[in-house]
């Protein structure tokens, strides 16, 4: 009997132990679940805030703005886009720490100056968005006042900005679209240092729609060969014979109309499609030159302009060499044009690429020399064969000053054994001045407009027969 009772007691104790263990496991699981939930809330809270500046993240900005737009009684609201110009260059010059300090100061200044009457966020490194109260003129005055105060601080030394303004007329428009509209307005003044603020309107909307349509039809146009490569001859200044050419491109639409490069090149650069067009043009040039060689037509150097986007591609030089080899084109007959303004972003990378291309045997030129950056370091590095003088030197109201500058450039390039090309030559007086000053090649309507490949072939053939 005693043994039976002892067995029952042991069983009861065992059962209690099991129940206690289960309770303990349940309690720990619940505690862990609560901790995970709390951690998730914490992480969610952290992702709502930009870690560097303390401003809202982009998603949180959109959420908060949506709530403000739905509940605010303010009559006038606007979305502002702030873009720091050439911030990557600023960071490369001043270092990461100084760049982050500048961003933090900009964020602090936004909050301080606008006195909390706004919602603000930082987006993609050097872009900020603000939702604030005010009608259009008042908004512009406020922005310029804030910018003036900001520029006096040593924390943002050497920084410049451009702004885009979207005035909220329809509060049902998604905040993400409002941000996009404000950014489009910024782009409309991005390269205009006389106008810092772009304002979104119907005209900009239509231009944006046109750009989107161009980008959407690009791939099909490429497949259907609706990009037409034309050639503008370059003439020897002394003999006045064709000594080279520049390849240019036109976009033929389905209705037969031609779209100017000034319209579609910026669109393709912005969308990242420009490398495809650049190499399409380069390959068409190689095909044309291959045809000339097969017909025993003397080949003159032909230049092709490559967008700076290509130059950050590590396979850029190899791809150029591969295409030239594929069509059997002598490398010395191909000239790679690098626009002068591209060197503002990263001079070392681009001069290294220029040196590599020259080492492979290609000719390399600086296009639009004198338009903007004009660093003599570009030619000091001995990375180039040709300097193309921007046509602005031959135009405008400062003819005498331009002539003095041009004579100095030609004198310098002769000493450095660099070939010079003058673009945009339109009359006899310009030609005579350039010839007397020592310019090597002349390009412009005075001699020839851009012509089709068949016309260019005929021009070379006739010149060859005349010799």
């Amino acid at each position: 009997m005693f043994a039976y009772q002892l067995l029952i007691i042991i069983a009861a104790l065992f059962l209690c132990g099991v129940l206690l263990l289960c309770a303990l496991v349940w309690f720990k699981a619940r505690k862990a679940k609560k901790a995970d939930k709390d951690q998730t809330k914490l992480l969610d809270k952290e992702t709502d805030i930009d870690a560097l500046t303390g401003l809202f993240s982009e998603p949180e900005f959109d959420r908060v703005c949506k709530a403000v737009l739905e509940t605010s009684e303010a009559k006038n609201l606007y979305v502002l886009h702030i873009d720091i110009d050439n911030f990557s260059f600023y960071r490369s010059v001043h270092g990461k720490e100084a760049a982050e300090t500048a961003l933090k100061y900009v964020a602090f200044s936004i909050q301080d100056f606008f006195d909390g009457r706004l919602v603000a966020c930082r987006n993609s490194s050097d872009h900020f968005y603000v939702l604030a109260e005010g009608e259009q003129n008042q908004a512009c005055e406020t922005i310029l006042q804030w910018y003036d105060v900001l520029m006096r601080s040593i924390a943002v030394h050497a920084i410049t900005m451009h702004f885009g303004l979207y005035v909220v007329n329809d509060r049902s428009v998604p905040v993400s679209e409002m941000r996009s509209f404000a950014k489009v307005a910024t782009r409309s003044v991005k390269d205009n240092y006389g106008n810092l603020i772009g304002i979104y309107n119907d005209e900009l909307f239509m231009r944006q729609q046109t750009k989107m349509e161009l980008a959407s039809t690009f791939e099909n146009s490429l497949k259907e060969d609706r990009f037409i490569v034309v050639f503008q001859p370059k003439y020897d200044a002394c003999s006045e014979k064709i000594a080279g050419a520049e390849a240019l491109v036109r976009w033929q639409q389905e209705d037969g109309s031609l779209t100017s490069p000034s319209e579609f090149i910026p669109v393709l650069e912005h969308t990242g499609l420009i490398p495809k067009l650049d190499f399409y043009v380069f390959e068409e040039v190689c095909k044309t030159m291959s045809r000339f060689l097969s017909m025993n037509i003397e080949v003159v150097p032909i230049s092709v302009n490559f967008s700076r986007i290509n130059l950050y591609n590590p396979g850029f030089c190899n791809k150029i060499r591969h295409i030239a080899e594929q069509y059997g084109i002598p490398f010395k007959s191909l000239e790679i044009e690098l626009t002068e303004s591209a060197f503002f972003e990263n001079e070392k990378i681009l001069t290294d690429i220029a040196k590599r291309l020259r080492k492979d045997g290609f000719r390399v030129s600086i296009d639009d020399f004198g338009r903007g950056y004009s660093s003599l370091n570009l030619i000091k590095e001995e990375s180039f064969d040709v300097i193309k003088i921007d046509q602005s030197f031959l135009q405008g109201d400062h003819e005498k000053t331009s002539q003095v500058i041009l004579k100095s450039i030609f004198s310098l390039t002769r000493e450095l054994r660099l070939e010079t090309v003058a673009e945009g030559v339109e009359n006899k007086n310009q030609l005579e001045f350039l010839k007397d000053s020592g310019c090597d090649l002349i390009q412009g309507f005075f001699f020839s407009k851009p012509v089709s490949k068949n016309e260019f072939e005929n021009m070379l053939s006739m010149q060859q027969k005349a010799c």
Side-chain angles (χ1 to χ4, degrees):
M1 182 69 179
F2 177 74
Y4 178 72
Q5 290 177 336
L6 182 62
L7 185 62
I8 292 175
I9 292 171
I10 292 172
L13 290 173
F14 177 76
L15 181 61
C16 288
V18 170
L19 291 174
L20 183 62
L21 181 62
C22 289
L24 183 62
V25 170
W26 176 82
F27 178 76
K28 286 185 175 181
R30 184 178 180 185
K31 187 176 180 181
K33 186 176 181 181
K34 184 177 183 301
D36 288 343
K37 189 174 181 180
D38 291 343
Q39 181 66 22
T40 300
K41 286 183 177 180
L42 180 61
L43 289 172
D44 288 343
K45 184 65 178 175
E46 289 175 347
T47 56
D48 291 344
I49 302 298
D50 174 53
L52 179 65
T53 64
L55 299 180
F56 283 130
S57 65
E58 182 186 300
E60 185 64 10
F61 175 82
D62 288 359
R63 286 194 292 269
V64 174
C65 286
K66 184 175 184 294
V68 171
L69 291 167
E70 290 173 349
T71 59
S72 175
E73 296 181 358
K75 291 183 179 180
N76 300 302
L77 292 170
Y78 63 89
V79 174
L80 171 66
H81 173 239
I82 302 170
D83 182 13
I84 300 177
D85 300 328
N86 299 308
F87 189 69
S88 59
F89 178 73
Y90 179 90
R91 184 170 51 235
S92 67
V93 171
H94 298 281
K96 180 181 177 182
E97 185 176 346
E100 291 185 346
T101 298
L103 290 172
K104 287 188 284 188
Y105 188 82
V106 170
F108 167 78
S109 178
I110 290 172
Q111 293 175 308
D112 181 61
F113 187 85
F114 286 85
D115 194 26
R117 295 170 295 172
L118 82 165
V119 184
C121 77
R122 181 174 78 111
N123 165 261
S124 67
S125 181
D126 60 320
H127 294 259
F128 296 82
Y129 289 97
V130 174
L131 174 69
E133 181 180 345
E135 51 86 29
Q136 181 175 304
N137 292 336
Q138 179 187 355
C140 290
E141 290 178 7
T142 302
I143 294 163
L144 292 176
Q145 288 172 6
W146 169 74
Y147 186 58
D148 182 59
V149 171
L150 182 70
M151 289 300 98
R152 296 176 188 176
S153 169
I154 60 172
V156 291
H157 174 67
I159 275 181
T160 59
M161 298 178 179
H162 279 85
F163 309 92
L165 190 68
Y166 171 73
V167 177
V168 179
N169 295 315
D170 181 359
R171 299 194 181 193
S172 66
V173 174
V175 177
S176 60
E177 287 190 25
M178 294 183 183
R179 287 192 289 101
S180 177
F181 294 154
K183 194 170 184 178
V184 167
T186 305
R187 290 198 202 104
S188 71
V189 295
K190 184 68 174 172
D191 296 322
N192 184 352
Y193 288 90
N195 187 6
L196 297 177
I197 305 174
I199 299 173
Y200 190 84
N201 52 34
D202 291 340
E203 182 184 350
L204 277 182
F205 176 78
M206 294 303 296
R207 282 161 55 185
Q208 180 70 1
Q209 288 294 102
T210 301
K211 289 179 179 180
M212 292 173 64
E213 289 171 5
L214 285 174
S216 66
T217 60
F218 170 76
E219 296 288 354
N220 281 338
S221 295
L222 208 59
K223 292 176 183 176
E224 295 169 4
D225 292 325
R226 284 198 275 113
F227 285 98
I228 302 170
V229 177
V230 295
F231 300 84
Q232 185 167 32
K234 302 174 188 176
Y235 288 79
D236 183 277
C238 296
S239 67
E240 299 189 5
K241 293 180 178 180
I242 298 174
E246 178 180 6
L248 303 168
V249 64
R250 305 288 184 262
W251 188 350
Q252 187 174 49
Q253 302 301 318
E254 291 184 353
D255 61 2
S257 63
L258 293 177
T259 302
S260 167
S262 62
E263 294 182 45
F264 66 79
I265 294 296
V267 175
L268 299 181
E269 285 184 331
H270 175 68
T271 55
L273 295 170
I274 194 67
K276 290 186 178 182
L277 179 61
D278 287 346
F279 277 103
Y280 174 87
V281 172
F282 184 71
E283 188 161 0
E284 287 298 304
V285 167
C286 288
K287 288 179 183 178
T288 300
M289 296 179 81
S290 178
R291 172 179 167 80
F292 291 172
L293 290 170
S294 68
M295 298 172 64
N296 294 317
I297 296 175
E298 183 179 355
V299 172
V300 295
I302 298 179
S303 60
V304 180
N305 199 312
F306 281 85
S307 168
R308 57 190 173 190
I309 297 175
N310 289 285
L311 308 177
Y312 293 92
N313 176 4
F316 173 68
C317 296
N318 289 338
K319 189 170 183 179
I320 286 198
R321 186 172 58 249
H322 172 73
I323 294 174
E325 289 175 342
Q326 180 182 346
Y327 290 96
I329 310 302
F331 292 178
K332 65 179 180 180
S333 298
L334 291 165
E335 184 178 309
I336 311 302
E337 290 189 9
L338 309 179
T339 305
E340 179 202 42
S341 59
F343 291 82
F344 186 80
E345 292 189 358
N346 198 319
E347 183 176 316
K348 185 179 185 306
I349 287 178
L350 300 183
T351 51
D352 286 348
I353 288 174
K355 287 179 180 179
R356 183 175 171 186
L357 288 169
R358 288 191 73 208
K359 185 178 179 180
D360 286 342
F362 295 98
R363 290 162 55 88
V364 182
S365 64
I366 304 175
D367 193 19
D368 296 337
F369 186 81
R371 177 182 288 182
Y373 189 35
S374 295
S375 171
L376 292 178
N377 286 329
L378 300 183
I379 54 179
K380 181 190 72 176
E381 294 290 335
E382 299 182 358
S383 305
F384 305 92
D385 303 281
V386 183
I387 303 295
K388 295 191 71 177
I389 307 299
D390 185 64
Q391 60 184 338
S392 60
F393 278 101
L394 299 175
Q395 302 168 349
D397 301 324
H398 305 285
E399 182 179 352
K400 291 184 178 179
T401 302
S402 295
Q403 287 181 354
V404 171
I405 295 172
L406 286 174
K407 286 180 179 179
S408 298
I409 292 175
F410 295 139
S411 176
L412 176 64
T413 52
R414 275 198 305 272
E415 291 293 325
L416 296 173
R417 297 181 181 178
L418 293 171
E419 189 173 69
T420 50
V421 181
E423 299 180 288
V425 180
E426 298 178 350
N427 58 59
K428 185 73 172 178
N429 290 337
Q430 292 174 342
L431 171 63
E432 292 302 323
F433 164 74
L434 292 167
K435 185 185 297 186
D436 293 341
S437 300
C439 183
D440 299 305
L441 299 179
I442 307 297
Q443 180 180 344
F445 279 25
F446 178 74
F447 279 120
S448 175
K449 65 180 182 179
V451 298
S452 69
K453 61 182 178 182
N454 289 335
E455 289 179 89
F456 186 54
E457 177 185 315
N458 290 335
M459 293 168 76
L460 289 177
S461 295
M462 290 176 62
Q463 177 171 285
Q464 189 169 322
K465 289 176 182 177
C467 294

